[in-house]
Amino acid sequence: DSGVTQTPKHLITATGQRVTLRCSPRSGDLSVYWYQQSLDQGLQFLIHYYNGEERAKGNILERFSAQQFPDLHSELNLSSLELGDSALYFCASSTADSSNQPQHFGDGTRLSIL
Amino acid sequence: GDSVTQMEGPVTLSEEAFLTINCTYTATGYPSLFWYVQYPGEGLQLLLKATKADDKGSNKGFEATYRKETTSFHLEKGSVQVSDSAVYFCALTYNQGGKLIFGQGTELSVKP
């Protein structure tokens, strides 16, 4: 158990819809990272928050947005969903935003678009 | 840009065989290097890490040495078990922010 909690585990929805994925980091961790894992793109970094502030953006579509709340949990919002958004979405947390700190991953949310 | 390349899988071995999974990287700076493992239906677990050249990371019988001269971080284990069957990811990170850049993953299957 990594201590990172992601909900829901599975999500099935239709094209054009909007969903929210939730992540609770390990106790004491200030950094939250979001990654997308798909068969064709592999594991791709989406976005990083540190103590409520956005730190870095990766290959995140404009239809996607995220935020980190004062209690440090984070949400990833995906809107106008397309078939290609079907993937595993992982959240990871670490103590700081240093490259030396390992990231601890949740079990992911599997999003299926029908 | 920065990237990580892993040997293609799947790799199939018999129990107690020696394992090597090759990983090379391209980076403009001096990254930290990681191996993560993903068991079926689970998230990624940190297996080992190395933060500077010539460092050796080790955990659960797995080892990898950070080789700056060959830009490599190959994963090795002397005697694999069926329970080691999983997908292994090599990754790098550096600079403020620490986003991970992953290789494509190598699936390992160990037969009894």
Side-chain angles (χ1 to χ4, degrees):
Chain A
D1 181 9
S2 68
V4 178
T5 303
Q6 289 188 248
T7 56
K9 290 192 186 306
H10 303 278
L11 205 46
I12 302 173
T13 188
T15 55
Q17 295 299 305
R18 173 189 170 93
V19 297
T20 297
L21 313 183
R22 183 187 169 100
C23 170
S24 294
R26 291 188 322 160
S27 177
D29 284 358
L30 299 179
S31 266
V32 169
Y33 303 80
W34 286 97
Y35 295 86
Q36 179 193 58
Q37 185 179 33
S38 61
L39 281 175
D40 54 342
Q41 297 288 326
L43 266 163
Q44 299 279 321
F45 166 73
L46 294 179
I47 198 163
H48 169 213
Y49 278 84
Y50 176 75
N51 203 19
E53 291 187 6
E54 182 184 302
R55 284 294 210 202
K57 266 186 175 178
N59 300 322
I60 187 166
L61 300 171
E62 284 194 13
R63 300 183 285 106
F64 296 2
S65 64
Q67 59 185 129
Q68 186 180 27
F69 295 87
D71 66 353
L72 301 176
H73 90 273
S74 177
E75 293 180 357
L76 179 67
N77 300 296
L78 316 177
S79 61
S80 303
L81 287 167
E82 302 175 359
L83 292 177
D85 298 329
S86 295
L88 252 179
Y89 291 85
F90 286 109
C91 165
S93 73
S94 68
T95 54
D97 62 351
S98 162
S99 64
N100 289 339
Q101 297 299 320
Q103 295 177 26
H104 301 270
F105 283 74
D107 287 343
T109 293
R110 182 171 294 282
L111 176 63
S112 299
I113 312 299
L114 302 180
Chain B
D2 306 319
S3 65
V4 176
T5 302
Q6 291 180 232
M7 64 185 284
E8 289 194 19
V11 173
T12 303
L13 296 173
S14 298
E15 208 166 19
E16 298 184 2
F18 184 86
L19 168 71
T20 300
I21 300 179
N22 290 337
C23 170
T24 57
Y25 67 90
T26 301
T28 51
Y30 298 97
S32 295
L33 300 173
F34 302 84
W35 276 101
Y36 280 84
V37 57
Q38 185 178 28
Y39 298 101
E42 299 183 13
L44 283 80
Q45 297 176 26
L46 177 65
L47 184 57
L48 52 85
K49 71 170 189 174
T51 57
K52 61 183 188 298
D54 299 325
D55 268 2
K56 178 187 279 190
S58 61
N59 186 26
K60 299 180 182 178
F62 291 90
E63 292 183 342
T65 301
Y66 188 166
R67 303 281 187 204
K68 191 168 74 117
E69 63 277 11
T70 54
T71 61
S72 65
F73 193 54
H74 304 321
L75 182 68
E76 295 182 336
K77 187 177 185 184
S79 176
V80 293
Q81 306 300 312
V82 172
S83 57
D84 294 327
S85 297
V87 180
Y88 292 80
F89 291 91
C90 184
L92 69 80
T93 182
Y94 66 105
N95 293 333
Q96 197 84 14
K99 71 173 187 181
L100 284 163
I101 296 171
F102 287 93
Q104 67 269 42
T106 302
E107 182 181 358
L108 170 67
S109 177
V110 181
K111 307 296 184 189

